[in-house]
Structures are given as structure tokens and as C-alpha cells.
Amino acid sequence: MNSVRNNWTINEIKDIYNQPLLELVYQSATVHRHFHDPRAIQISSLLSIKTGGCTEDCKYCAQSSYYETNIRTEPLMQVADIVNKARLALENGSSRFCLSTAWRQIPDAEMEKILDIISAVNDLGLEVCATMGMLSQAQAQQLKDAGLHTYNHNLDTGENFYEKIISTRTYKDRLDTLNIVQEAGLNVCSGGILGMGESMDDRINMLQNLSSLKRHPESVPINILVPVEGTDIQRDPDFSVWDLLRTVACARIIMPQTQVRLSAGRTSLTNIETAFCFFAGANSIFSGDQLLTTPNVLPGHDDDLFKLLGLYKKLVK
Ligand code: SAM
Ligand code: DTB
Ligand code: SF4
């Protein structure tokens, strides 16, 4: 129960994943209670500080320039506007603030401004997370020095399915950046998207890759595909909430110390489904009425659910 392992095999993970559902959830809930306060939920807020016009072709994404969506390309937001949004998030109980840019990698010309933004948000007392595409070693170090807490870079799915979703970069590119992030002493946030038509083996492959990193990701966001008009994929009609629950439970068991975050797609879950995910070990959510470009569960709804379930917002350490 106490061990944190980085050598889970595919077969071990498959056996965990395929247990009778209630046995799986019992096991994950038990692990969860051993490592975490089961009533404390981490609240993260998201802000798209540079929206649209991305040169990558991720089939799910509203911000890719390959697809005709209703998202316009915007310039990088001003530091003061970002700080105002971050302050509001802090007042509403967020302990983490995630800055997102629709970039393949950070352009040199924007680096100074990005560093200023990170240090200004950090000064508010929030844990700052950034998700800005691939990083060089030097960039990762600069972000760390500016006060960045965590870098988000999702594996999204398993290695074999990846090329069906994205062709402008490889799975190895993704893993290389994750290693660079860890080498710089930053925390890794990395997870995936469910409901894109991936198989159970693809999900298990992703979980195995995440659990095999030198250090487990500090957080694992589990997104359910938010279908965006104009992009190249639809929600897989065979995908069910039971797949979500198994993935959450499995992530909790094999990465016991990690924050498992219910991320995009919560609007498609009922309260009971969300509660079951918390029971199975999910202990973080994105809060706020907006994700990056799509709507999220309204904060008042989350507050009511927290009251109903006896949960509270985890404070910044
Ligand atoms: N450009 C950076 C990157 O790709 O790493 C950061 C921003 S990108 C929007 C962050 C993550 O959002 C993606 O890795 C993907 O997992 C998730 N995402 C994007 N669009 C989504 C959608 N329609 N539904 C669910 N998750 C989505
Ligand atoms: C993550 O895994 N999910 C967040 C965050 N990390 C950057 C993004 C969700 C985006 C959902 C689609 C949108 O709003 O554009
Ligand atoms: Fe660009 Fe990130 Fe969207 Fe891919 S997911 S198109 S890299 S913003």
C-alpha cells in the first residue's frame, strides 16, 4: 500500500483496470484514503492567454489552424488583464492557475513577457501552471526561475493511437518535453483525453507511460473529449462513464500520490457520476465557467455539489 512504483507493467495495469467495477473502486478508494484527505479537492483555474491560430493539427482542438472553428486568433493577453483574472480565481478558492497558449513552442519574441506573467501570478500566492507546447532545456529552466510550479503537457492517449489524432509531432516529442520539464525540477502535469475512439489498450498504454516517468506526474488531468464543431473528431458513441471511472480508479491506484483531475467534459456528467469519480480517487477539478474555449460547469453548481458531498477546496500549501 505504501509503495510508489515506476515499473508497473501493461499486464498489471490491465488486471487492475479490468477488475469487477466495484472491486476496482473499493481498491482505488482505499488507496486514495491512505495517501490523501478524501474530502479535500484541489481547485485549478484555466486561462487561455494566447488563443487560436495554432500550427499543430490536433484533431480535437478548437484552436488548431487546420480546422474551421468559431475561434478567432488573438494576440498574447496583457499582463495586467491576466493578473486580474488570476486574483479573481484566487478569491473563488483556486489554489492553482493554469496559463495556456496555442503554440507548438514558446516563440523567442514572447519569452520575456511569459516570464513576467508567471512571476506576477506567482506573487499572488497561486501555484502557477503553464501549458505552452514543447520546451527546450533552457526554456524550462527560465520558466522554473520565474516561479513556475508545474508544466502541463498531455500525452493525450496511447502511443499507437497518437498518430491518428496528431500528425505534426510525435509521441516521443511529447515524452522528451516531459523529461526536460522534470530535469529542470518542475512538476509535471500530464494526462489525456477519453472518448476519441481509443481502445482500452490505448488508455492503459497512456497510464503506463505516465507511471513510468522518473517521478510520477504531480497531476494527471483526465479530459473527456469536448466535441468542437469544425474539428475532425466526434465523441465516440461507445465511450461510457464506466470507462472514465475505470481510468480514474486505475490512475489513482498506480500513481497514489498524484492529483487526479476531472478536467474537460464535466458538463456531460451527472452529479452522481461526478461523485462516483471523487469516491474512486479523483481529487482535483478545473473550476470556472470557461475552460479554454468551451464552457465548463458553473462554479455555483460545483459549490452546491461540494456542500452535498461534504467536500472542501484544498488551500494553497
Ligand atoms: N498547446 C499546448 C499543448 O497542446 O500542449 C497547450 C494547450 S492545449 C489546448 C492543452 C490540452 O487541452 C491538450 O493537450 C488536450 O489534452 C486538451 N484539449 C484540447 N482540446 C480539447 C477538447 N476539445 N476536449 C478535451 N480536451 C481538450
Ligand atoms: C487539460 O488537460 N485540460 C485543459 C488544460 N489541461 C489545459 C484544457 C481543456 C480544454 C478543453 C477544450 C477547450 O476549452 O478549448
Ligand atoms: Fe495547438 Fe495545443 Fe490545440 Fe494542439 S492542443 S492544436 S498544440 S493548442
Side-chain angles (χ1 to χ4, degrees):
M1 172 70 79
N2 286 317
S3 69
V4 175
R5 289 177 48 194
N6 299 64
N7 60 353
W8 292 98
T9 66
I10 290 283
N11 282 338
E12 283 176 314
I13 301 174
K14 214 178 255 182
D15 287 347
I16 293 171
Y17 189 100
N18 283 318
Q19 287 179 86
L21 188 95
L22 295 182
E23 296 306 309
L24 169 63
V25 172
Y26 178 74
Q27 190 189 351
S28 68
T30 308
V31 171
H32 187 45
R33 273 151 184 72
H34 189 81
F35 284 89
H36 303 269
D37 172 356
R39 293 181 61 192
I41 303 289
Q42 181 204 40
I43 308 290
S44 294
S45 284
L46 275 172
L47 183 63
S48 179
I49 62 168
K50 161 69 192 83
T51 303
C54 186
T55 57
E56 303 280 74
D57 70 350
C58 313
K59 279 193 178 157
Y60 47 76
C61 187
Q63 302 192 68
S64 165
S65 53
Y66 283 77
Y67 316 113
E68 293 261 341
T69 69
N70 62 3
I71 297 304
R72 279 184 316 160
T73 302
E74 313 268 359
L76 182 57
M77 281 174 69
Q78 293 305 316
V79 184
D81 296 336
I82 296 167
V83 169
N84 283 337
K85 299 265 188 193
R87 196 174 287 119
L88 217 61
L90 182 65
E91 282 164 15
N92 287 321
S94 283
S95 56
R96 179 166 300 183
F97 198 70
C98 179
L99 305 158
S100 168
T101 62
W103 287 330
R104 175 179 164 85
Q105 54 195 116
I106 305 175
D108 287 344
E110 304 282 25
M111 193 61 176
E112 278 308 310
K113 191 165 163 193
I114 291 296
L115 299 175
D116 287 347
I117 293 166
I118 290 169
S119 101
V121 177
N122 187 37
D123 285 348
L124 295 177
L126 281 156
E127 292 175 353
V128 192
C129 177
T131 183
M132 302 184 173
M134 300 180 203
L135 290 180
S136 67
Q137 276 179 345
Q139 285 178 322
Q141 197 56 57
Q142 283 177 290
L143 298 181
K144 166 85 181 153
D145 294 344
L148 191 72
H149 183 275
T150 302
Y151 196 76
N152 167 259
H153 201 65
N154 289 341
L155 287 181
D156 276 345
T157 189
E159 191 163 6
N160 290 334
F161 193 63
Y162 198 73
E163 62 186 31
K164 299 210 170 64
I165 302 296
I166 297 151
S167 78
T168 49
R169 58 172 188 258
T170 63
Y171 209 67
K172 184 175 177 302
D173 289 331
R174 237 32 200 175
L175 287 168
D176 287 349
T177 296
L178 290 178
N179 284 323
I180 285 173
V181 168
Q182 288 198 327
E183 288 297 316
L186 287 161
N187 294 300
V188 158
C189 170
S190 186
I193 308 179
L194 308 182
M196 298 191 294
E198 76 286 348
S199 64
M200 177 195 71
D201 285 343
D202 296 320
R203 284 176 216 133
I204 286 171
N205 179 272
M206 176 184 82
L207 290 172
Q208 203 240 351
N209 280 309
L210 292 172
S211 64
S212 304
L213 292 171
K214 276 200 198 95
R215 277 178 288 125
H216 285 173
E218 190 260 357
S219 47
V220 170
I222 308 284
N223 299 276
I224 310 166
L225 176 70
V226 179
V228 175
E229 218 182 298
T231 57
D232 252 10
I233 39 173
Q234 305 296 323
R235 176 89 64 87
D236 175 6
D238 290 337
F239 174 76
S240 88
V241 72
W242 306 117
D243 302 316
L244 169 70
L245 194 64
R246 284 186 186 276
T247 305
V248 164
C250 206
R252 167 54 62 234
I253 292 165
I254 67 172
M255 294 174 279
Q257 295 174 314
T258 295
Q259 321 258 16
V260 177
R261 182 172 307 122
L262 289 182
S263 303
R266 285 201 298 121
T267 51
S268 64
L269 301 178
T270 65
N271 275 352
I272 290 178
E273 290 166 349
T274 308
F276 210 179
C277 289
F278 288 141
F279 187 69
N283 62 346
S284 176
I285 56 169
F286 281 122
S287 167
D289 50 15
Q290 174 97 351
L291 292 164
L292 297 176
T293 66
T294 64
N296 192 20
V297 172
L298 295 178
H301 185 96
D302 281 334
D303 288 344
D304 291 345
L305 184 60
F306 274 38
K307 213 176 274 167
L308 185 72
L309 301 178
L311 300 174
Y312 42 76
K313 299 175 182 178
K314 195 174 148 189
L315 301 172
V316 189
K317 272 187 215 121

